[in-house]
Amino acid sequence: MDEEQKLREDADEQLINGAFQHLLDSYLASRHRKKVDIITKAFNFARQAHKGVRRLSGEPYIMHPIAVAQIACEEVGLGSTSICAALLHDVVEDTDYTTEDLENIFGPKIAQIVDGLTKISGGIFGEQASAQAENFKKLLLTMSDDIRVILIKICDRLHNMRTLQSQPANKQYKIAGETLYIYAPLSNRLGLYKIKSELENLSFQYEHPDEYKSIKSKLASTEASRHELFDQFTAPIEESLNQMGIKYEIKERVKTPYSIWSKMQNKHVTFEEIYDILAVRIIFTPDKREEEVNECFNIYVAISKIYKSHPDRLRDWLSHPKANGYQALHVTLMSKQGRWIEVQIRSDRMNEIAEQGFAAHWKYKDGMEKEFTEDETELNEWLRTIKEILDDPQPDAMDFLDAIKLNLFASEIFVFTPKGEIKTMPAGCTALDFAFSIHTFLGSHCIGAKVNHKLVPLSYKLNSGDQVEILTSKAQHVQASWINFVSTAKAKAKIQAILRRDSREIQKQGEEILNAFLKKNDIENKTTIADQLAAYHEERNREEFFQALGEKTIILGEKDLDELYGKNTSEANAKGWRRLVPFLNKGKQKKDTANATELFVVPEKFNRKETIYINDDNIGQFKFRHCCHPIPGDDILGFIDNKHRIEIHKRACPVAAKLKTSYGNRILDAKWDMHKRLFFDASIHIEGIDRIGMVLDISTIISNQLNVNIHKFTITSEDGVFNGAIELRVHDREDVKDIINQLKTVEGLQEVTQIM
């Protein structure tokens, strides 16, 4: 046994030393200052701290920090401070060492970054939410001081996703969902395009394994024809660039499985109907750095002489780079095979920034590691917006994450102030969003705007190139309806904060009204009375009841006294006593209680790692939400709600995405075990060229050939083109696929898609 133990320790030693040497080699090959001593010191410290601990995969725990440091160095391009912080990132959380210990040994900067990466317990969201949102909040707060915190966190998440196979299924869904909801868009916002794509694909692989394998297989089978198209398309381009004497390389860019699947879902198309799987990337090295923008346009002019370009698909990210630093010229050209192909033209510097994001900017300064808070105006503005949201914490984890997410996903437009200054705004933003982006006072007193010198309402959606002047009035106050049309996180956060402040004042007035009413009727003021009257007036809670009292939408009177003391109030008064009767809600609550007994209630000692199987007999014990309408055959998960019952959602459901991120510890792995005994609703959308007998052919296939019951059939026809929807009763998703495949054989039926 001792011999076996020694062999294992020797193998571990070899593995660890090899991984660390690879890290040092990558670091020494970079342009950063060569601070090997402090990196070695951090490695030895972390190795000792994690000694004897193993990951679920069985490998020594220290392999994880080394891998995170490797990603930070090689894939993100960070320097020695970040590499040390990556090596030490789990020390405070998992061992007895403190942040103060790290500060004494490695200095304040490394200690501050590690502290930002360390998870915390408790938080502003209370016990109902798991700690993820609170951890993310701390991460963002620290990030606004030093961007390296979030960059290392993304490296940590990438390695966790690469090694996710060792986790149980419920943990896989939680981590994959959180990654897709927060870390992939965050990577994109920071310009880490390669990492963003890998995070999306890894999440997709675990949440929808069958679809992932299917798309990978189809990509492999069409690889040869793609290569042939690429070679034929690029041959004349190479000839032209060679004549111009440009140093370049041309790369084939293939759409990722996740982005293909997303397009299939959003556009309701099959794999074969997606035509932009292939794109071409021209990366050139300019003779002079200041000439690179002109060179992009020179290349564009040259290739436009070879192929016709699409007039509406020229994207110029050169003059106005994206907020994440991305620069390139995108043009779509018609190939000789009759296919539109996008060509991305960028310099080697632009390409590195596109792949490594903000971390790459410093390589093109003086090669020295610098603070990550200087010189990047767009980034600092974005961080400042996030800080404002954090300064006014939402009481609910979901609201907080939604507010942050609004900032992560938005594509951009460029808007001008009256003085001609340019401002980057998210696409789809309104005049009111613009007002709040300049100043809270301007937003809260905004009455309208002039866009290109024409008067427009607050809800007017801005377009790129608009010149906007905000009109204000001191008499104007924030309206609750504003929240419905603003789209930026900053505007939503500010409006909600002002409304909450106003609401607190109104609730206080309502509380005073109730106190006066009780005092007038000589009733002892107990906390239960407000709850009782709130339920009687069908308000959700006492806060909403006080709000209604303050707004005078509820007026207290005799009926409230009857409710509190029974119907014979006057008789009770005459005898000089009052009796408080227990309050029962009318009917509705009793019905809910009856239903609740049919549902499975999760016991205290419930193994959340085990898969729950839904079969024909127990299906009534679970709650099926209308947000995604899951039916057998869909990839699903379970979620334990506040009443310890289990909700079933599709894994791709937007509500489930938030649940995985905010309440990950309540996610369960769920699978179907159905035997085609029960029926479920499904809807199919159809479009095509109208002809006599079309409806008959469709209904014949569904009813006669497939023996499926049509629940509802609606169809409209105009100018010889029809579209409609068929609602069916099916056993599972497989039935839906069979019906769609059969309907595709009907003459004139151009499009058949499942309505999600």
PDB file of all heavy atoms in Angstrom, residues 55 80 148 185 276 315 329 356 467 469 576 609 623 655 714:
ATOM      1  N   ARG A  55      -9.673  17.350  -6.279  1.00  0.00           N
ATOM      2  CA  ARG A  55     -10.931  17.784  -6.902  1.00  0.00           C
ATOM      3  C   ARG A  55     -11.823  16.549  -7.098  1.00  0.00           C
ATOM      4  O   ARG A  55     -11.365  15.407  -6.942  1.00  0.00           O
ATOM      5  CB  ARG A  55     -10.674  18.436  -8.271  1.00  0.00           C
ATOM      6  CG  ARG A  55      -9.809  19.675  -8.184  1.00  0.00           C
ATOM      7  CD  ARG A  55      -9.761  20.393  -9.529  1.00  0.00           C
ATOM      8  NE  ARG A  55     -10.906  21.291  -9.676  1.00  0.00           N
ATOM      9  CZ  ARG A  55     -11.413  21.653 -10.852  1.00  0.00           C
ATOM     10  NH1 ARG A  55     -10.903  21.180 -11.961  1.00  0.00           N
ATOM     11  NH2 ARG A  55     -12.429  22.489 -10.915  1.00  0.00           N
ATOM     12  N   SER A  80       2.150  39.234 -14.312  1.00  0.00           N
ATOM     13  CA  SER A  80       2.540  38.520 -13.090  1.00  0.00           C
ATOM     14  C   SER A  80       1.568  38.717 -11.925  1.00  0.00           C
ATOM     15  O   SER A  80       1.263  37.771 -11.197  1.00  0.00           O
ATOM     16  CB  SER A  80       3.947  38.953 -12.659  1.00  0.00           C
ATOM     17  OG  SER A  80       3.955  40.346 -12.396  1.00  0.00           O
ATOM     18  N   ARG A 148      -8.958  43.379 -13.365  1.00  0.00           N
ATOM     19  CA  ARG A 148      -8.355  42.039 -13.387  1.00  0.00           C
ATOM     20  C   ARG A 148      -9.149  41.032 -12.578  1.00  0.00           C
ATOM     21  O   ARG A 148      -9.108  39.838 -12.853  1.00  0.00           O
ATOM     22  CB  ARG A 148      -6.906  42.116 -12.874  1.00  0.00           C
ATOM     23  CG  ARG A 148      -5.966  42.733 -13.885  1.00  0.00           C
ATOM     24  CD  ARG A 148      -4.588  42.943 -13.321  1.00  0.00           C
ATOM     25  NE  ARG A 148      -4.546  44.030 -12.357  1.00  0.00           N
ATOM     26  CZ  ARG A 148      -3.435  44.620 -11.963  1.00  0.00           C
ATOM     27  NH1 ARG A 148      -2.271  44.243 -12.455  1.00  0.00           N
ATOM     28  NH2 ARG A 148      -3.463  45.601 -11.085  1.00  0.00           N
ATOM     29  N   PRO A 185     -22.025  36.591 -21.586  1.00  0.00           N
ATOM     30  CA  PRO A 185     -22.195  37.994 -22.013  1.00  0.00           C
ATOM     31  C   PRO A 185     -21.169  38.938 -21.393  1.00  0.00           C
ATOM     32  O   PRO A 185     -20.746  39.901 -22.022  1.00  0.00           O
ATOM     33  CB  PRO A 185     -23.614  38.358 -21.562  1.00  0.00           C
ATOM     34  CG  PRO A 185     -24.058  37.290 -20.644  1.00  0.00           C
ATOM     35  CD  PRO A 185     -23.272  36.071 -20.988  1.00  0.00           C
ATOM     36  N   ASP A 276     -25.187  31.277 -43.206  1.00  0.00           N
ATOM     37  CA  ASP A 276     -23.980  32.032 -42.833  1.00  0.00           C
ATOM     38  C   ASP A 276     -23.094  31.257 -41.862  1.00  0.00           C
ATOM     39  O   ASP A 276     -22.474  31.827 -40.981  1.00  0.00           O
ATOM     40  CB  ASP A 276     -24.355  33.400 -42.246  1.00  0.00           C
ATOM     41  CG  ASP A 276     -25.214  33.280 -40.991  1.00  0.00           C
ATOM     42  OD1 ASP A 276     -25.732  32.178 -40.742  1.00  0.00           O
ATOM     43  OD2 ASP A 276     -25.356  34.272 -40.263  1.00  0.00           O
ATOM     44  N   ARG A 315     -20.516  46.940 -42.151  1.00  0.00           N
ATOM     45  CA  ARG A 315     -20.428  47.331 -40.742  1.00  0.00           C
ATOM     46  C   ARG A 315     -19.057  47.942 -40.479  1.00  0.00           C
ATOM     47  O   ARG A 315     -18.042  47.250 -40.565  1.00  0.00           O
ATOM     48  CB  ARG A 315     -20.638  46.113 -39.823  1.00  0.00           C
ATOM     49  CG  ARG A 315     -21.993  45.448 -39.959  1.00  0.00           C
ATOM     50  CD  ARG A 315     -23.094  46.240 -39.254  1.00  0.00           C
ATOM     51  NE  ARG A 315     -24.397  45.611 -39.399  1.00  0.00           N
ATOM     52  CZ  ARG A 315     -25.243  45.877 -40.386  1.00  0.00           C
ATOM     53  NH1 ARG A 315     -24.916  46.747 -41.317  1.00  0.00           N
ATOM     54  NH2 ARG A 315     -26.424  45.291 -40.458  1.00  0.00           N
ATOM     55  N   LEU A 329     -13.731  45.865 -40.069  1.00  0.00           N
ATOM     56  CA  LEU A 329     -14.650  46.255 -41.134  1.00  0.00           C
ATOM     57  C   LEU A 329     -15.323  44.966 -41.618  1.00  0.00           C
ATOM     58  O   LEU A 329     -14.637  44.014 -41.989  1.00  0.00           O
ATOM     59  CB  LEU A 329     -13.870  46.927 -42.276  1.00  0.00           C
ATOM     60  CG  LEU A 329     -14.685  47.582 -43.383  1.00  0.00           C
ATOM     61  CD1 LEU A 329     -15.502  48.748 -42.841  1.00  0.00           C
ATOM     62  CD2 LEU A 329     -13.768  48.087 -44.502  1.00  0.00           C
ATOM     63  N   GLN A 356      -8.648  38.837 -27.208  1.00  0.00           N
ATOM     64  CA  GLN A 356      -8.245  38.954 -25.806  1.00  0.00           C
ATOM     65  C   GLN A 356      -8.859  40.157 -25.100  1.00  0.00           C
ATOM     66  O   GLN A 356      -8.697  40.315 -23.903  1.00  0.00           O
ATOM     67  CB  GLN A 356      -6.722  39.038 -25.695  1.00  0.00           C
ATOM     68  CG  GLN A 356      -6.038  37.739 -26.068  1.00  0.00           C
ATOM     69  CD  GLN A 356      -4.567  37.756 -25.727  1.00  0.00           C
ATOM     70  OE1 GLN A 356      -3.960  38.810 -25.611  1.00  0.00           O
ATOM     71  NE2 GLN A 356      -3.985  36.592 -25.561  1.00  0.00           N
ATOM     72  N   GLN A 467     -29.229  63.316 -33.259  1.00  0.00           N
ATOM     73  CA  GLN A 467     -28.759  64.378 -32.354  1.00  0.00           C
ATOM     74  C   GLN A 467     -29.906  64.656 -31.381  1.00  0.00           C
ATOM     75  O   GLN A 467     -31.033  64.923 -31.794  1.00  0.00           O
ATOM     76  CB  GLN A 467     -28.393  65.641 -33.135  1.00  0.00           C
ATOM     77  CG  GLN A 467     -27.714  66.680 -32.256  1.00  0.00           C
ATOM     78  CD  GLN A 467     -27.143  67.834 -33.068  1.00  0.00           C
ATOM     79  OE1 GLN A 467     -27.621  68.122 -34.160  1.00  0.00           O
ATOM     80  NE2 GLN A 467     -26.129  68.500 -32.549  1.00  0.00           N
ATOM     81  N   GLU A 469     -31.614  66.515 -27.933  1.00  0.00           N
ATOM     82  CA  GLU A 469     -31.642  67.578 -26.929  1.00  0.00           C
ATOM     83  C   GLU A 469     -32.774  67.259 -25.952  1.00  0.00           C
ATOM     84  O   GLU A 469     -33.916  67.023 -26.364  1.00  0.00           O
ATOM     85  CB  GLU A 469     -31.895  68.933 -27.596  1.00  0.00           C
ATOM     86  CG  GLU A 469     -31.937  70.085 -26.615  1.00  0.00           C
ATOM     87  CD  GLU A 469     -32.381  71.401 -27.259  1.00  0.00           C
ATOM     88  OE1 GLU A 469     -32.443  71.476 -28.511  1.00  0.00           O
ATOM     89  OE2 GLU A 469     -32.690  72.336 -26.502  1.00  0.00           O
ATOM     90  N   GLY A 576     -70.154  46.755  24.977  1.00  0.00           N
ATOM     91  CA  GLY A 576     -68.862  47.249  25.461  1.00  0.00           C
ATOM     92  C   GLY A 576     -67.710  46.283  25.242  1.00  0.00           C
ATOM     93  O   GLY A 576     -66.685  46.407  25.867  1.00  0.00           O
ATOM     94  N   LYS A 609     -29.001  15.645  -5.470  1.00  0.00           N
ATOM     95  CA  LYS A 609     -28.121  15.206  -6.559  1.00  0.00           C
ATOM     96  C   LYS A 609     -28.776  14.131  -7.424  1.00  0.00           C
ATOM     97  O   LYS A 609     -28.362  13.886  -8.540  1.00  0.00           O
ATOM     98  CB  LYS A 609     -26.804  14.660  -5.982  1.00  0.00           C
ATOM     99  CG  LYS A 609     -25.921  15.734  -5.374  1.00  0.00           C
ATOM    100  CD  LYS A 609     -24.632  15.139  -4.846  1.00  0.00           C
ATOM    101  CE  LYS A 609     -23.770  16.210  -4.169  1.00  0.00           C
ATOM    102  NZ  LYS A 609     -22.542  15.622  -3.599  1.00  0.00           N
ATOM    103  N   LYS A 623     -45.370  20.815 -10.759  1.00  0.00           N
ATOM    104  CA  LYS A 623     -45.967  22.029 -11.336  1.00  0.00           C
ATOM    105  C   LYS A 623     -45.340  22.286 -12.706  1.00  0.00           C
ATOM    106  O   LYS A 623     -44.110  22.319 -12.828  1.00  0.00           O
ATOM    107  CB  LYS A 623     -45.704  23.231 -10.420  1.00  0.00           C
ATOM    108  CG  LYS A 623     -46.483  23.203  -9.125  1.00  0.00           C
ATOM    109  CD  LYS A 623     -45.963  24.248  -8.143  1.00  0.00           C
ATOM    110  CE  LYS A 623     -46.372  25.645  -8.546  1.00  0.00           C
ATOM    111  NZ  LYS A 623     -45.888  26.649  -7.566  1.00  0.00           N
ATOM    112  N   VAL A 655     -36.980  31.875 -17.941  1.00  0.00           N
ATOM    113  CA  VAL A 655     -37.217  31.927 -16.488  1.00  0.00           C
ATOM    114  C   VAL A 655     -36.240  30.981 -15.782  1.00  0.00           C
ATOM    115  O   VAL A 655     -35.641  31.314 -14.762  1.00  0.00           O
ATOM    116  CB  VAL A 655     -38.682  31.560 -16.148  1.00  0.00           C
ATOM    117  CG1 VAL A 655     -38.880  31.432 -14.642  1.00  0.00           C
ATOM    118  CG2 VAL A 655     -39.633  32.603 -16.715  1.00  0.00           C
ATOM    119  N   THR A 714     -56.208  27.457 -37.289  1.00  0.00           N
ATOM    120  CA  THR A 714     -56.519  28.799 -37.797  1.00  0.00           C
ATOM    121  C   THR A 714     -55.615  29.090 -38.985  1.00  0.00           C
ATOM    122  O   THR A 714     -54.432  28.751 -38.965  1.00  0.00           O
ATOM    123  CB  THR A 714     -56.282  29.889 -36.726  1.00  0.00           C
ATOM    124  OG1 THR A 714     -54.944  29.777 -36.243  1.00  0.00           O
ATOM    125  CG2 THR A 714     -57.246  29.747 -35.569  1.00  0.00           C
TER     126      THR A 714
END
